[in-house]
Amino acid sequence: MLGEEMARRGYGLVYGGGDIGSMGIVAHAVQDGGGVVTGVIPHALNLIEGVGWDGVDELIVTETMRQRKAIMEENSDAFIALPGGLGTFEELLEIITLKQLHYHDKPVVILNSGGYYDPLISLFEHAVSERFAKADTIALFHVSSSVIEALDYIESYEPVVVECKWFVEEPEAASK
């Protein structure tokens, strides 16, 4: 559904370059719908039979995962996290952290299909309640339960302004 809707709306895809899993399905659907698909994959993963997709419109092979993520971030206009595993969690948290630190101001969407991300969202809220994160941290990303809602959010996105991430005492209070 995501790939088809992206193509219908005229979007391309920058993703991890795989021919497997949900992102492989999304990539095929974007391309089948006329969208341009750019895969960014580390050399080591590209060597594993059946992992990389050689049918992408553009394939960028990197030496490391860090290079891969930097290229994906640089070439993407928005980020959508589908349900996934540890790699998805790591990439999602990194892109939210980079936004928090003002390295980018692009929309970040968590596609919470079937409540998959409910525990992670609860953990974010717990971090706020325990004062390990500020309340406006939650504004760094948008949680959507449907593809249509996710893409509508991206299309209407207006950058958010968040406070400094750190709890810093005012100079006067610190000297008392």
Side-chain angles (χ1 to χ4, degrees):
M1 172 78 184
L2 176 61
E4 290 131 358
E5 186 63 19
M6 287 176 63
R8 190 184 75 70
R9 294 184 187 211
Y11 298 133
L13 175 69
V14 177
Y15 83 117
D19 196 18
I20 56 174
S22 57
M23 287 309 301
I25 294 168
V26 170
H28 279 270
V30 168
Q31 193 177 63
D32 290 348
V36 175
V37 175
T38 301
V40 186
I41 190 166
H43 179 68
L45 290 181
N46 200 35
L47 292 176
I48 301 171
E49 184 69 31
V51 172
W53 181 31
D54 59 5
V56 296
D57 296 296
E58 179 183 8
L59 181 64
I60 301 169
V61 179
T62 64
E63 287 301 312
T64 68
M65 288 292 283
R66 288 185 176 150
Q67 290 171 338
R68 170 198 194 194
K69 292 186 298 181
I71 289 170
M72 288 172 41
E73 181 220 330
E74 181 180 313
N75 289 290
S76 297
D77 296 323
F79 306 95
I80 299 177
L82 302 178
L86 297 178
T88 302
F89 301 153
E90 187 270 338
E91 289 176 353
L92 172 61
L93 291 174
E94 180 173 339
I95 211 67
I96 291 171
T97 300
L98 291 172
K99 186 172 182 177
Q100 180 182 38
L101 296 173
H102 306 285
Y103 282 96
H104 76 83
D105 197 15
K106 301 173 185 179
V108 178
V109 177
I110 297 173
L111 190 54
N112 194 26
S113 302
Y116 181 81
Y117 280 107
D118 287 351
L120 182 62
I121 295 161
S122 291
L123 181 59
F124 292 154
E125 292 167 347
H126 180 67
V128 169
S129 72
E130 293 292 319
R131 292 188 36 94
F132 285 100
K134 290 186 175 180
D136 66 355
T137 298
I138 304 300
L140 294 169
F141 57 89
H142 177 77
V143 180
S144 292
S145 58
S146 74
V147 166
I148 301 299
E149 179 189 340
L151 294 175
D152 287 350
Y153 171 79
I154 289 169
E155 289 175 352
S156 65
Y157 175 74
E158 293 187 25
V160 296
V161 177
V162 295
E163 290 182 55
C164 170
K165 78 176 234 61
W166 295 280
F167 290 98
V168 181
E169 291 184 42
E170 294 294 322
E172 297 168 8
S175 64
K176 291 182 181 179

